[in-house]
Amino acid sequence: MLVLMLSVVVLLVIGGCVCVFWAARGDAPRWARGVAKATLLGSELARSSNRNSPSQNGGDDSSSGGTD
């Protein structure tokens, strides 16, 4: 069941990327431009949530500017 859900998500992502490419070419129908806008909005939301999340190293900033 999990494999089925993940494959559906992957197919939706691939379809969204195809619509973004198609819309960027300029000859996409209105529904494809709508899917492209939704895909780009989803990617921006994912990026912003990734920026606002705490760092993956447990909040330790030792990796930036440390001495060797």
Side-chain angles (χ1 to χ4, degrees):
M1 185 68 179
L2 182 64
V3 173
L4 179 65
M5 287 191 306
L6 287 176
S7 61
V8 168
V9 169
V10 167
L11 287 174
L12 286 173
V13 168
I14 291 171
C17 291
V18 168
C19 286
V20 168
F21 178 74
W22 194 9
R25 287 182 44 197
D27 59 347
R30 183 177 294 160
W31 65 267
R33 290 192 302 262
V35 171
K37 282 185 182 181
T39 302
L40 292 174
L41 178 64
S43 70
E44 286 297 320
L45 289 173
R47 282 165 125 198
S48 67
S49 69
N50 191 23
R51 281 189 216 134
N52 294 334
S53 67
S55 63
Q56 296 295 326
N57 58 5
D60 188 310
D61 252 352
S62 64
S63 63
S64 61
T67 58
D68 290 335

